Amino acid sequence: MRFQMMLGGALMALTACGEVEGPEARLEAELSELTYETPKFSEANRESPVAAYVMANGATRAQIAPDGTFIALSSSKSGEAQLYVGAPDGADLQQVTDGAGISFFDILPGGDILYGADNNGDERENYFLYDAETGTSDLILPATEKGFRSYGGASGNGKTIAFASTERNGSDFDIYLMNLESGEVSRVFEGVYGNFVEAVNYLGTELIVSETVGEDSDKIFLLDVESGERHLLSDPTPRANHTNAGIHFLEKSHILLATNMTDEFSSLFTLQASPNYPTIPRKLFSVDGSDIDAVESCGRNLVSINRDGFSELAVLGSGGIEQVNPVNGLPRGVYSIDCSRNKAVIRVTGPDIPGDVYMLDLKNPEPKLIYSSEYGALDKNSLITPISIRMTARDGLEVQGLLYMPSDSSNTKPPVVFMVHGGPTAQARPSYNPTVQYLVSRGIAVFQTNVRGSTGFGRTYTTLDDRRKRLDSIRDLVDMLGSPELMVRVDTDRAAVMGGSYGGYAVNAVLSEYPDAFVAGVSLFGVADWVTALEVASPALKAADLIEYGNIEEQEWRDFYTEQSPIRNADKIKVPVLFSHGAMDPRIDIAETETMVRALRANGIDAPYIRFPDEGHGWRKVDNQLYYQRRQAEFLEEVLGVE
C-alpha cells in the first residue's frame, strides 16, 4: 500500500489509456515485481583487486581480564566475528567460538566470558557464557522475538549481569538483572523508550542508567535495584551527553565519566552517585576544543582525546590536570581502551591499520605491540593517510572532512567520491576502510564528510541538523563540493556520493534536492520516506528520533516529512544510483530502498539493486563483503570514467 501511494501517479499515467502494451507493459511488470541481484560466492570475487583490501583484517575489539592473566579479542578473519583468547603478551591466541558471528563480549570478574550473537543481523541476541576452565560455551539467555537487548555490564563480584531489553512489549527498554549462579532473570525497572545500563556497582545493588534524549544526549540516574527507584544525577539544559566515553563506579559512591554538560566539549568529571547527597560535579581534566571520548579507571585514569578525528592517549595522576602523562609510541589513528590492575590494552585502527593491539603498563607508559593486523596480499606501505580540511558553508558555518588523495595525483585532479557517515550523530574518523583505500589506489580521491550534526565538533554543532534543519546538513555536501579548498585538489565535475544508513538517506536526499551536483550515487540501506521510516523504526532508535526528527505521530511532523522526504522528489534524480539492503535489517525497513529503486526505474534511471537475504544493517559475512565491494568498485569506476 505504501509503495502504491507513492507511485500512484506513475501507474495511473500508464493505465489511463486502457490496456498497456509494449515497453509500458514491461515497466508495469518491473513496478510490480522488483528485480535485484542476490550475492553469490564466486572465485572472481576473491580474485578481484578490491579483495585484498577486504581480506586485510585485525582485532575489532580487545579486553584484558580483571586479574590481568589473559586477554580476549574479536576478529573476522575466519569469515565472521569470532572470539579469541590468549596470554597477556598476545601469545597462543586460540579461537573459542564459531558459527554465527558474535556481536559483543565481556570478560567477567571470575574469568568467564559473556558474549552475544544474533541471527544474521536481526539484532535479537542470544547470550552465551564461555567457561575459561573447560573451554566450552553454554547458552544462558535465549533470544526472544521482541527482545532487542543492550548489554550493560557485570557486578564487581562477578555474580550479576545487567542489561536493557524490549522483550516486555517490543518497544520500550526495561532494565533486567541476571543472577549467573541461579540463572534467575528479574526486571528491576520498567522504562519508556530508551533506558540503558551504563555501569554496575561491586555488589550489583546499584546501577547507573541512562535515558535517551536524542541521538547525541541523555540523562543519567542512579537506580536502586531493590526498590526500583531512580535518583536523577544529571539532566542539564541545553541537553548533554554523559555516556559515550563510558562510566565507572569509584569508591565512596562516586562515578567517573566524560561529559559535555558544562561546556561545548566533553571533559572528565567525578559525580557523587547517592540519593542522600547533592550531585556536585568535579572537573578533573579537559582539553580546549576537543572531546575526551574514552575513559578507563584501574589504579590510574586513562583517557583518549579526539583531535580532528585522531586519538591521543594520556595517563592521569590523582591530581588530574596537574599530572598528565601523554602516551607516546602509538601509531596515528583511532583508539579504544580497556584496563585492569594498572595494565591496559589499546586497540588501534588507522588508515593503514585494520586493528593492532598494544599492551600498556600505566606505571611506565611505553606501549608494546602484542597483536598485529594481517595484510595478506596487500602492501601496507601503499595505504594513504588523509588530510583534515575545513571549509565554510554558505551560511558561514565551518564544516570539516578527511580527504584521501591518490599518490599519483600531482599532475591531474582526480575524480572524487564523497562518503557520508551514518548516525547522523557520528564522525568520520581515520580508521581503516577497504573501500576508501581501494578507490584511492585506483586514482579516485575520497572525501569523508563531517556535515553539521556530526559529533566531535562541539555540543552545538551536533544539534544543527535537528528537525526542520535536516536539509541544512544535506546542503553542506553541495557547499563542500563547491568549496575552493576542494576544487583546487579534485575534479568536482566528476564527483559521486555514497553512504549507508543515515548516510544512505543523505545520498537519496542530495541527489533529489540538488540533481546537478553529483554524477552518481551509492545508497546503502538508506531512508526514502521519513514518515514510514520513523513509524517502523526499531526500539533502539525511537526515543532518539523524537528529538532528532520530531514525533511522527504529530500532524506537524507528518506533514513536514511528507513534503521533505527524498521519495517526494525522486523524479528529479537523473544520475545512476547503486542501491543495496539486508533483508534482516531491523533499523531501516528494506521497503525504503526498494521504494527508491522502483521510483528511479520508473523514470528510466539506471538503479541496480543488491539484496542480501542473510544480512541486517550492514554486511558482516566476508563472502558478502567481497561480492558487494567488487560490484560497488565496478559501478564507481564506470560512472567516474576510470579505466
Side-chain angles (χ1 to χ4, degrees):
M1 177 64 69
R2 181 189 317 156
F3 144 63
Q4 290 176 347
M5 290 173 61
M6 293 172 184
L7 295 181
L11 290 172
M12 187 177 297
L14 290 174
T15 58
C17 297
E19 185 175 350
V20 181
E21 299 178 351
E24 293 177 345
R26 289 194 296 271
L27 177 56
E28 186 179 39
E30 179 74 4
L31 289 171
S32 61
E33 293 192 17
L34 185 65
T35 59
Y36 54 82
E37 302 173 30
T38 301
K40 294 181 180 179
F41 171 79
S42 169
E43 287 299 330
N45 298 335
R46 293 183 176 269
E47 295 170 358
S48 169
V50 73
Y53 296 85
V54 177
M55 296 299 289
N57 67 83
T60 53
R61 186 173 184 268
Q63 192 178 8
I64 186 170
D67 62 3
T69 57
F70 69 92
I71 64 167
L73 59 86
S74 54
S75 172
S76 298
K77 63 182 179 180
S78 67
E80 292 190 61
Q82 301 295 348
L83 180 64
Y84 296 78
V85 175
D89 61 358
D92 195 32
L93 280 168
Q94 301 292 322
Q95 181 178 334
V96 299
T97 61
D98 55 20
I102 66 171
S103 50
F104 77 91
F105 73 88
D106 185 28
I107 306 176
L108 304 182
D112 292 342
I113 304 176
L114 178 78
Y115 65 92
D118 65 11
N119 177 36
N120 289 327
D122 68 357
E123 299 184 18
R124 295 166 177 83
E125 293 171 320
N126 294 284
Y127 282 7
F128 297 86
L129 194 63
Y130 170 76
D131 188 315
E133 292 186 2
T134 64
T136 59
S137 293
D138 291 315
L139 174 64
I140 62 169
L141 194 60
T144 64
E145 182 180 353
K146 296 181 179 180
F148 290 88
R149 293 175 179 147
S150 177
Y151 176 67
S155 60
N157 60 16
K159 296 181 179 180
T160 305
I161 63 169
F163 61 94
S165 177
T166 61
E167 50 204 68
R168 174 173 57 90
N169 61 10
S171 60
D172 298 310
F173 280 92
D174 303 324
I175 306 301
Y176 292 81
L177 291 183
M178 181 177 186
N179 185 307
L180 294 177
E181 295 178 340
S182 66
E184 180 184 358
V185 177
S186 57
R187 185 168 65 241
V188 296
F189 179 76
E190 207 168 277
V192 177
Y193 287 129
N195 297 270
F196 303 98
V197 179
E198 306 296 341
V200 186
N201 74 348
Y202 182 82
L203 295 175
T205 56
E206 292 180 331
L207 311 176
I208 302 299
V209 173
S210 66
E211 182 179 299
T212 302
V213 184
E215 290 197 356
D216 58 301
S217 306
D218 44 51
K219 310 173 188 178
I220 55 171
F221 299 82
L222 178 70
L223 175 65
D224 183 282
V225 167
E226 184 175 351
S227 68
E229 295 181 357
R230 293 191 311 175
H231 172 67
L232 180 66
L233 298 180
S234 183
D235 178 20
T237 301
R239 68 183 194 260
N241 182 278
H242 304 83
T243 58
N244 279 359
I247 298 179
H248 305 274
F249 271 102
L250 304 176
E251 296 179 353
K252 299 180 180 179
S253 299
H254 282 75
I255 58 172
L256 181 74
L257 73 164
T259 172
N260 56 7
M261 63 182 176
T262 62
D263 303 292
E264 278 291 310
F265 293 88
S266 292
S267 302
L268 187 66
F269 284 86
T270 59
L271 285 179
Q272 181 81 32
S274 170
N276 302 317
Y277 298 94
T279 303
I280 302 175
R282 175 176 173 243
K283 184 184 290 188
L284 300 181
F285 178 65
S286 62
V287 180
D288 289 342
S290 296
D291 281 323
I292 295 173
D293 64 0
V295 176
E296 283 290 333
S297 181
C298 48
R300 303 180 73 179
N301 296 329
L302 182 65
V303 298
S304 175
I305 302 159
N306 175 357
R307 293 188 190 271
D308 250 7
F310 289 88
S311 295
E312 296 177 4
L313 211 60
V315 180
L316 308 183
S318 58
I321 193 169
E322 298 172 0
Q323 297 178 4
V324 180
N325 297 312
V327 176
N328 300 314
L330 291 169
R332 295 192 77 201
V334 181
Y335 307 156
S336 55
I337 55 180
D338 182 76
C339 70
S340 175
R341 296 193 176 185
N342 282 309
K343 292 189 180 294
V345 287
I346 301 102
R347 177 197 174 245
V348 179
T349 178
D352 57 349
I353 304 171
D356 288 352
V357 179
Y358 288 78
M359 179 66 73
L360 184 71
D361 185 334
L362 300 188
K363 297 178 180 178
N364 181 27
E366 294 183 5
K368 176 185 177 183
L369 180 65
I370 62 170
Y371 180 83
S372 298
S373 302
E374 299 178 11
Y375 294 89
L378 185 61
D379 178 8
K380 177 181 178 180
N381 295 324
S382 69
L383 302 177
I384 300 297
T385 297
I387 56 175
S388 174
I389 295 182
R390 292 179 180 264
M391 53 201 72
T392 304
R394 67 186 66 181
D395 60 357
L397 181 72
E398 184 180 68
V399 291
Q400 183 265 0
L402 299 175
L403 179 63
Y404 293 76
M405 289 291 289
S407 57
D408 59 350
S409 58
S410 56
N411 296 323
T412 59
K413 291 192 290 186
V416 63
V417 172
F418 273 42
M419 187 174 286
V420 188
H421 64 67
T425 49
Q427 181 183 4
R429 303 188 67 180
S431 56
Y432 179 73
N433 187 307
T435 299
V436 169
Q437 295 295 342
Y438 172 75
L439 292 176
V440 174
S441 77
R442 296 288 288 145
I444 302 171
V446 176
F447 186 53
Q448 293 184 314
T449 63
N450 284 310
V451 297
R452 69 190 72 199
S454 302
T455 51
F457 303 93
R459 180 169 58 176
T460 300
Y461 192 86
T462 308
T463 68
L464 294 180
D465 66 341
D466 286 356
R467 300 192 173 194
R468 292 187 178 275
K469 297 179 286 188
R470 180 66 43 206
L471 289 178
D472 292 354
S473 65
I474 302 303
R475 188 186 65 215
D476 285 344
L477 296 171
V478 180
D479 291 349
M480 287 174 158
L481 185 64
S483 69
E485 293 85 355
L486 210 60
M487 294 180 72
V488 73
R489 292 178 169 93
V490 301
D491 183 356
T492 55
D493 289 330
R494 289 193 295 157
V497 58
M498 69 181 301
S501 190
Y502 181 85
Y505 153 73
V507 172
N508 297 338
V510 75
L511 294 180
S512 59
E513 294 291 331
Y514 302 92
D516 296 317
F518 295 92
V519 300
V522 177
S523 177
L524 299 91
F525 39 92
V527 169
D529 186 343
W530 279 119
V531 175
T532 55
L534 294 171
E535 283 179 334
V536 303
S538 71
L541 299 177
K542 279 189 176 294
D545 289 347
L546 292 174
I547 300 296
E548 190 78 32
Y549 305 100
N551 187 348
I552 199 62
E553 301 301 322
E554 297 176 1
Q555 195 61 43
E556 172 191 0
W557 298 111
R558 184 171 291 271
D559 292 344
F560 176 75
Y561 287 115
T562 296
E563 184 68 26
Q564 297 295 332
S565 294
I567 192 61
R568 309 304 169 189
N569 295 308
D571 59 335
K572 297 179 182 177
I573 297 177
K574 54 187 180 182
V575 298
V577 184
L578 173 64
F579 290 95
S580 58
H581 213 119
M584 305 293 285
D585 191 340
R587 302 192 190 189
I588 298 178
D589 195 285
I590 196 169
E592 295 293 323
T593 287
E594 296 189 344
T595 291
M596 288 298 295
V597 173
R598 289 183 169 100
L600 266 63
R601 289 179 180 178
N603 292 326
I605 303 299
D606 186 25
Y609 169 41
I610 305 171
R611 186 180 189 273
F612 291 88
D614 57 349
E615 296 281 12
H617 201 66
W619 327 142
R620 296 184 184 179
K621 299 176 174 63
V622 168
D623 282 329
N624 287 339
Q625 294 175 33
L626 288 169
Y627 178 91
Y628 179 79
Q629 289 284 359
R630 177 191 177 197
R631 184 69 177 84
Q632 177 181 262
E634 292 171 349
F635 176 83
L636 286 170
E637 289 171 1
E638 179 180 354
V639 296
L640 294 176
V642 177
E643 295 295 333

